[in-house]
Amino acid sequence: MEWELLGFILAGVFSTYLLIFKETVPIPLINSNKNQRETRFDSIRGLAMIGIVLIHVHSYFIFFHPNDDLSITLFLSNFSRFSVPIFILSSAVYLKIKPDYWKSKFKHLILPYLITSIFGYLLKYQSWDVFELIEFLIFGKVFTPFYFVPLLVQFYILYYFISKYIEEKKILNISLFISLVLNLISNFAGFDDLFTKNYQPISIFNYIFFFVLGIKINKLQIREKNNKGFILNVCIVLFFIIIYVFSINGSDFKNHHLVYPLIFLLFSWEVLPLFHPKLNYILIFIGKNSIFIFLLHPFIIHYMHAIDPYTFGGAIYGYLITVLLNVGIPCIVAYLFTSQMGKFLNRPHHYP
């Protein structure tokens, strides 16, 4: 709660500066050429996926070394708390109702989730309780990160029913304001008494503002201006310092924040074009193949709980190797899968 309030104070300072000095900031926009995808959204998804892994790696280190000074891994985990809100936003940016809307969602998200969840349930719990399995599938409980898929499916259902009503700019703006209020109430635990503990982690109110904001970004019809990023740089440095101070005092943040993810989004939108092309290529690849990391890295880190991370050469090397394995292995699988699938689709088939 203190972190959220502090974020609003910084947002007030940020807004005041913009008003006084009439400075603009970079606004995330989809490419004006509808046939060309804005790759910065994919890069941001890549950053978000790496951030989600960093959050889980910290928990892995806590499991083995709860009494050690892990303020650095905690700092990296807290710094990555932009990840889930930004991933929700980027998932909404290119949403569009098409004839194959549900077919695509089932093929690329729901079916892989069901397969990996059932397989993971059998491996992790070594039992076949059908009712427990159904509960775990509905609420994403087989592995902790799996909650994200039922959460995302709810947003896809919501969009399917509201898409035709939010085409009008006024209605979309009202919806954005309402979603902001609902998200804020949720962040301050205002809905906790209304929902069961099973549903609370996958409540759409936890991130509904970011989902509607993603839809809003899709509808923006303005040109990107040549902006100055001074105030953004100041804000991100302030957040950086504040997160570090909180981390060395043992504060473990949650994913439910409004201001910090937005500042990080604006900042990353400005600096991503400065990245080396190869680094951007890697982030784009991770962003486009995020489903592989989402569904595979929980298996990797689950089985790594049999190994102390310090056995990889101490705390620093152990951390780097753990992150590399949890990002790298799913990426290798994604590359092999997509490349082989591409060869299969491009190969001439002869049918009797």
Side-chain angles (χ1 to χ4, degrees), residues 167-183:
E167 290 296 324
E168 188 179 337
K169 181 178 178 181
K170 183 178 180 180
I171 294 177
L172 181 55
N173 289 338
I174 293 173
S175 300
L176 186 63
F177 176 75
I178 293 173
S179 69
L180 173 63
V181 174
L182 291 173
N183 212 141

Side-chain angles (χ1 to χ4, degrees), residues 222-287:
I222 57 177
R223 294 182 178 179
E224 190 170 8
K225 299 178 180 179
N226 189 15
N227 305 283
K228 299 176 182 178
F230 171 74
I231 187 62
L232 276 178
N233 297 333
V234 170
C235 282
I236 205 68
V237 169
L238 285 175
F239 272 114
F240 192 87
I241 295 171
I242 293 166
I243 292 170
Y244 180 74
V245 171
F246 272 84
S247 298
I248 62 176
N249 285 286
S251 298
D252 193 354
F253 297 154
K254 303 299 180 184
N255 291 322
H256 310 155
H257 306 291
L258 284 173
V259 178
Y260 173 55
L262 293 177
I263 295 295
F264 186 89
L265 172 65
L266 296 175
F267 176 76
S268 59
W269 194 261
E270 179 190 15
V271 301
L272 278 172
L274 305 177
F275 283 16
H276 192 280
K278 289 185 178 179
L279 178 57
N280 263 321
Y281 175 81
I282 293 172
L283 291 176
I284 290 169
F285 180 84
I286 293 173

Side-chain angles (χ1 to χ4, degrees), residues 26-43:
I27 300 175
L29 298 169
I30 63 173
N31 201 304
S32 57
N33 182 357
K34 298 297 183 180
N35 296 320
Q36 185 177 356
R37 186 180 177 94
E38 173 53 75
T39 57
R40 273 183 285 186
F41 284 113
D42 293 315
S43 295

Side-chain angles (χ1 to χ4, degrees), residues 81-102:
R81 292 297 177 175
F82 67 87
S83 302
V84 175
I86 292 305
F87 199 94
I88 292 289
L89 181 147
S90 64
S91 298
V93 167
Y94 285 103
L95 270 184
K96 188 176 181 180
I97 300 298
K98 301 177 181 179
D100 65 341
Y101 180 80
W102 282 117

Side-chain angles (χ1 to χ4, degrees), residues 14 37 42 45 70 79 102 165-166 210 224 228 234 267 281 285-286 289 316 319 326 350:
F14 177 80
R37 186 180 177 94
D42 293 315
R45 285 169 71 93
L70 298 175
F79 185 76
W102 282 117
Y165 300 108
I166 57 175
F210 295 96
E224 190 170 8
K228 299 176 182 178
V234 170
F267 176 76
Y281 175 81
F285 180 84
I286 293 173
N289 295 280
I316 296 176
Y319 187 85
N326 279 270
H350 301 284

Side-chain angles (χ1 to χ4, degrees), residues 27-84:
I27 300 175
L29 298 169
I30 63 173
N31 201 304
S32 57
N33 182 357
K34 298 297 183 180
N35 296 320
Q36 185 177 356
R37 186 180 177 94
E38 173 53 75
T39 57
R40 273 183 285 186
F41 284 113
D42 293 315
S43 295
I44 289 170
R45 285 169 71 93
L47 288 171
M49 278 311 312
I50 295 172
I52 288 170
V53 170
L54 295 183
I55 294 170
H56 299 150
V57 169
H58 171 67
S59 300
Y60 168 56
F61 271 66
I62 286 290
F63 178 81
F64 279 99
H65 301 281
N67 298 319
D68 287 9
D69 180 11
L70 298 175
S71 56
I72 299 301
T73 64
L74 179 57
F75 165 73
L76 292 171
S77 172
N78 285 337
F79 185 76
S80 301
R81 292 297 177 175
F82 67 87
S83 302
V84 175

